[in-house]
C-alpha cells in the first residue's frame, strides 16, 4: 500500500472483483404472476409476452384445463388454465385477466394469469426444494421461495415439464 493513497483507493483495491461477487451469489430471473390465491414464477426465458385475455374459442374433446384457443400474431395458441391443470381450482376470466405467451422448445401456449407481478431476480440460494410427497402440482415445481407472510410465498414452475405434460395429456384423449 502506498502511504499517499486515499481511503477510496484502498477500498477499491480491497473490494472483490464484480465477476467474483456475481458468481458468489448467482440469481435467476422469473416472470411472476398470480392465479387465484396462488403465486407462481416461470423462468423469464420461457415467457415471450403478456396479452389481455380476449375471445377464446372452445375446442371439443379437449381436457378441461385447455380453455380454448386464441389467435395471436398469425398463430393459434392453446390457452391453459393452470389451476385446473394442477387440480387447484379454476381460473376466472375477467376484464383484468391476462394471458402470458409461454414457450419451451417448439411448444407455445397461452397461460391464464389473474395478476402479473412482474420480473423478479431470485438468488439461487433462496430457492427451496419442492415439498415432498404431495400432490400433482409438486412434480411441476422447480422449487419454492418463502415470503414474509403466509400468502407471500412463490411457487417456481418447471415450465418446460409443465408444457410437455399438458401436451401429452391433451394428445392422449
Amino acid at each position: 500500500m502506498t502511504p499517499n493513497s486515499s481511503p477510496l483507493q484502498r477500498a477499491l483495491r480491497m473490494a472483490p472483483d464484480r465477476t467474483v461477487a456475481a458468481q458468489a451469489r448467482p440469481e435467476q430471473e422469473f416472470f411472476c404472476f398470480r392465479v387465484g390465491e396462488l403465486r407462481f414464477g416461470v423462468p423469464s426465458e420461457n415467457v415471450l409476452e403478456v396479452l389481455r385475455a380476449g375471445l377464446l374459442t372452445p375446442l371439443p374433446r379437449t381436457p378441461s384445463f385447455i380453455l380454448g384457443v386464441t389467435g395471436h400474431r398469425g398463430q393459434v395458441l392453446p390457452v391453459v388454465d393452470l389451476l385446473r391443470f394442477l387440480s387447484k381450482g379454476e381460473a376466472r376470466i375477467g376484464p383484468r385477466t391476462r394471458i402470458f405467451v409461454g414457450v419451451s422448445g417448439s411448444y407455445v401456449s397461452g397461460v391464464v394469469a389473474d395478476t402479473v407481478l412482474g420480473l423478479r431476480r431470485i438468488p439461487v440460494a433462496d430457492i427451496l426444494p419442492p415439498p415432498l410427497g404431495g400432490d400433482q402440482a409438486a412434480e411441476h415445481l422447480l422449487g419454492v421461495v418463502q415470503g414474509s407472510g403466509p400468502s407471500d410465498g412463490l411457487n417456481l414452475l418447471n415450465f418446460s415439464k409443465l408444457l410437455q405434460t399438458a401436451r401429452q395429456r391433451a394428445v392422449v384423449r
Side-chain angles (χ1 to χ4, degrees), residues 51-108:
L51 319 168
R52 289 181 190 264
L55 186 63
L56 295 178
T57 304
L59 295 175
R61 292 180 283 172
T62 58
S64 64
F65 64 84
I66 296 180
L67 297 177
V69 294
T70 188
H72 174 65
R73 299 185 191 261
Q75 284 188 306
V76 177
L77 293 177
V79 177
V80 174
D81 178 349
L82 200 54
L83 292 180
R84 282 186 187 176
F85 179 79
L86 299 173
S87 302
K88 298 288 186 184
E90 184 175 314
R92 305 265 185 242
I93 304 287
R96 302 183 69 109
T97 304
R98 299 292 184 253
I99 295 174
F100 75 84
V101 180
V103 63
S104 175
S106 63
Y107 302 146
V108 180

Side-chain angles (χ1 to χ4, degrees), residues 12 15 38 40 44-45 49 51 53 62 73 76 85 94-95 108 113 116 133 135 143 145 157:
L12 287 173
L38 299 175
F40 293 102
S44 61
E45 63 265 13
E49 63 183 299
L51 319 168
T62 58
R73 299 185 191 261
V76 177
F85 179 79
V108 180
V116 172
D135 58 10
V145 177
L157 292 170

Side-chain angles (χ1 to χ4, degrees), residues 24-66:
R25 190 146 166 99
E27 296 177 326
Q28 281 187 288
E29 187 175 64
F30 289 89
F31 169 77
C32 301
F33 61 100
R34 186 179 58 74
V35 183
E37 298 301 314
L38 299 175
R39 293 165 40 113
F40 293 102
V42 171
S44 61
E45 63 265 13
N46 292 117
V47 179
L48 296 178
E49 63 183 299
V50 178
L51 319 168
R52 289 181 190 264
L55 186 63
L56 295 178
T57 304
L59 295 175
R61 292 180 283 172
T62 58
S64 64
F65 64 84
I66 296 180

Side-chain angles (χ1 to χ4, degrees), residues 100-166:
F100 75 84
V101 180
V103 63
S104 175
S106 63
Y107 302 146
V108 180
S109 179
V111 178
V112 174
D114 290 336
T115 306
V116 172
L117 304 172
L119 292 175
R120 182 171 163 196
R121 295 188 72 77
I122 299 173
V124 173
D126 292 351
I127 300 173
L128 302 173
L132 291 176
D135 58 10
Q136 171 182 350
E139 75 179 76
H140 294 95
L141 293 179
L142 291 170
V144 294
V145 177
Q146 297 292 330
S148 54
S151 64
D152 291 342
L154 190 62
N155 299 295
L156 304 176
L157 292 170
N158 182 341
F159 196 69
S160 298
K161 182 176 182 180
L162 186 136
L163 275 187
Q164 185 176 24
T165 304

